[in-house]
């Protein structure tokens, strides 16, 4: 493929990319909508349940790194297909998890499968899309991720409210299988990739990526973005169900319409980067997210919802821009670069759930929001180092 020309059928391809992303990660955050119910079911603290639910990010970090290192040996289509098919197994078993330890292990296993599909798809996009199409393709993939946050949470809350906790996991297992079917009928119709020769070992390639100041900064930004996102949307659920807001289970699910604006704005990330550059795009997105933090501390529902909208719009937009940057800044071994980025991104989520969960339990919601602000500030400082090498332009 001519890497500097626009490919035909990009709109249809973007739709398929977004739907694939949706079905790949729909399990990741949907469970957050039922955190209070799970906390009561297992009779544990919010921090313990929050860590267990977000333990999937541990599996995603491990799988992202491993897939990145072994990427050149893995058939993209087969790898994505098997990852989504196997994802249905731990999702089904969550319905009968007897205690929090088993629940946590199954969430880690889910993460291994989700990240395998996620990393292989990102590597596939980086290798298949032209330089012109890449920004839009990555934005479409992250937009599917955003949609999974909204629809997954709504569906999860609705299913649990109507049919109970166990039915929720059976339903999402069916969605996992639907993702495998989509991949089976779509990816095989795309022109197959030609593997690029790799000089040296994958580990050496990873060290070379870490040696790049720009890529190193991008990895750190990814860490901070999910740290902030998980810190906000995991523990705000407990704030929403407590006085003075006191939302019910289904009302809590409907609150996650806050992700609807993000679906629209994230699609614009590729165009924004092409027009203004990566750094201004990420700075603007982080500023939008930071504007939402004071609103999260309000005792009025409208203000809290507005804060959630701003944090969602800002973090997802920044994620789309940063992901696209990694795909362009890595001059070779893009699979390794994407896997390393994802490992850092999901480790940030795990750290956010653990650190901010302790802040929430011990010091309250204000301290948790302050921790989110510190992560956004760190990401903004790292953004100053994002500069593409001349060879990639």
């Amino acid at each position: 493929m001519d890497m500097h020309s626009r490919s035909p059928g990009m709109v249809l391809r973007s739709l398929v990319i977004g739907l694939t992303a949706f079905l790949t990660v729909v399990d990741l955050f949907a469970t957050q909508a039922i955190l209070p119910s799970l906390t009561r079911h297992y009779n544990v603290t919010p921090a313990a349940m929050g860590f267990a639910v977000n333990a999937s990010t541990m599996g995603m970090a491990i799988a992202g790194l491993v897939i990145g290192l072994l990427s050149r040996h893995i058939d993209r289509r087969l790898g994505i297909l098997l990852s989504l098919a196997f994802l249905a197994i731990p999702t089904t078993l969550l319905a009968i998890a007897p205690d929090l330890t088993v629940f946590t292990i199954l969430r880690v296993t889910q993460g291994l499968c989700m990240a395998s599909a996620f990393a292989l798809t990102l590597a596939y996009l980086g290798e298949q899309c032209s330089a012109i199409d890449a920004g839009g393709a990555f934005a479409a993939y992250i937009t599917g991720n955003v949609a999974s946050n909204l629809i997954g949470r709504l569906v999860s809350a609705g299913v649990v409210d109507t049919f109970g906790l166990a039915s929720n996991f059976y339903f999402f297992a069916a969605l996992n299988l639907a993702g495998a079917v989509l991949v089976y009928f779509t990816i095989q119709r795309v022109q197959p990739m030609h593997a690029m020769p790799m000089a040296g070992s994958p580990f050496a390639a990873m060290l070379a990526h870490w040696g790049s100041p720009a890529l190193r900064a991008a990895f750190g930004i990814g860490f901070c973005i999910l740290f902030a996102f998980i810190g906000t949307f995991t523990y705000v659920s407990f704030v929403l169900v407590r006085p003075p807001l006191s939302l019910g289970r289904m009302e809590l699910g409907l609150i996650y319409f806050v992700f609807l604006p993000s679906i629209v704005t994230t699609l614009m990330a590729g165009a924004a980067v092409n027009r203004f550059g990566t750094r201004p795009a990420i700075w603007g997105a982080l500023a939008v997210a930071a504007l939402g933090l004071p609103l999260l501390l309000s005792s009025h529902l409208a203000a809290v919802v507005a804060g959630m909208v701003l944090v969602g719009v800002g973090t997802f937009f920044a994620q789309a821009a940063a992901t696209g940057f990694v795909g362009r800044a890595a001059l070779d071994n893009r699979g390794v670069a994407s896997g390393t980025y994802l490992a850092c991104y999901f480790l940030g989520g795990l750290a956010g759930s653990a650190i901010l969960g302790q802040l929430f339990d011990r010091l309250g919601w204000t301290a948790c929001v302050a921790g989110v602000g510190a992560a956004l500030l760190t990401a903004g400082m790292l953004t100053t180092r994002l500069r593409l090498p001349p060879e990639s332009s």
Side-chain angles (χ1 to χ4, degrees), residues 236 239 292-300 303-304 307 364-370:
V236 74
V239 175
L293 299 185
L295 298 176
L296 295 175
L297 302 176
S298 173
S299 59
H300 300 287
V304 176
W365 179 230
T366 301
C368 183
V369 171

Side-chain angles (χ1 to χ4, degrees), residues 60-91:
M60 296 189 84
I62 295 169
L65 188 58
V66 171
I67 293 296
L69 291 174
L70 302 178
S71 178
R72 61 174 175 160
H73 301 296
I74 301 174
D75 178 271
R76 305 300 197 238
R77 176 182 178 275
L78 181 61
I80 299 169
L81 182 63
L82 291 178
S83 296
L84 292 176
F86 286 134
L87 175 58
I89 298 174
T91 305

Side-chain angles (χ1 to χ4, degrees), residues 148-357:
S148 74
N149 274 267
L150 167 59
I151 299 173
R153 291 169 197 258
L154 286 173
V155 169
S156 186
V159 171
V160 170
D161 198 47
T162 306
F163 301 106
L165 278 172
S167 298
N168 171 74
F169 297 111
Y170 294 137
F171 181 84
F172 279 89
L175 289 182
N176 301 151
L177 295 176
V181 171
L182 177 67
V183 168
Y184 181 83
F185 285 107
T186 56
I187 287 188
Q188 66 177 357
R189 296 176 182 173
V190 178
Q191 181 180 354
M193 293 171 298
H194 300 285
M196 298 296 292
M198 178 183 292
S201 68
F203 184 72
M206 183 180 69
L207 291 179
H209 290 319
W210 276 105
S212 164
L215 283 174
R216 193 164 58 242
F219 300 155
I221 291 168
F223 181 96
C224 292
I225 288 172
L226 197 59
F227 185 103
F229 179 86
I230 285 212
T232 301
F233 289 99
T234 295
Y235 299 106
V236 74
S237 299
F238 296 101
V239 175
L240 291 169
V241 299
R242 293 174 179 174
L245 301 177
S246 303
L247 298 185
R249 185 185 294 153
M250 197 59 216
E251 292 172 317
L252 180 62
L254 292 173
I255 280 291
Y256 291 104
F257 270 109
V258 295
F259 291 118
L260 194 58
S262 300
I263 297 176
V264 177
T265 56
T266 305
L267 277 172
M268 303 175 183
V273 168
N274 290 336
R275 180 170 182 179
F276 302 109
T278 298
R279 288 184 296 167
I282 294 180
W283 279 326
L286 295 174
V288 168
L291 288 174
L293 299 185
L295 298 176
L296 295 175
L297 302 176
S298 173
S299 59
H300 300 287
L301 181 61
V304 176
V305 168
M308 294 171 70
V309 169
L310 292 174
V311 173
V313 166
T315 52
F316 277 118
F317 197 99
Q319 159 68 346
T323 304
F325 177 85
V326 171
R328 296 191 305 275
L331 300 179
D332 52 19
N333 305 320
R334 287 190 173 96
V336 176
S338 294
T340 305
Y341 175 82
L342 286 178
C344 294
Y345 177 71
F346 291 119
L347 280 174
L350 185 66
S353 65
I355 295 171
L356 297 180

Side-chain angles (χ1 to χ4, degrees), residues 29-67:
F29 297 119
T31 313
Q32 288 184 351
I34 56 173
L35 263 173
S37 297
L38 287 168
T39 302
R40 290 191 296 271
H41 178 75
Y42 287 105
N43 193 27
V44 293
T45 65
M49 197 69 244
F51 182 82
V53 164
N54 293 311
S56 54
T57 58
M58 181 189 302
M60 296 189 84
I62 295 169
L65 188 58
V66 171
I67 293 296

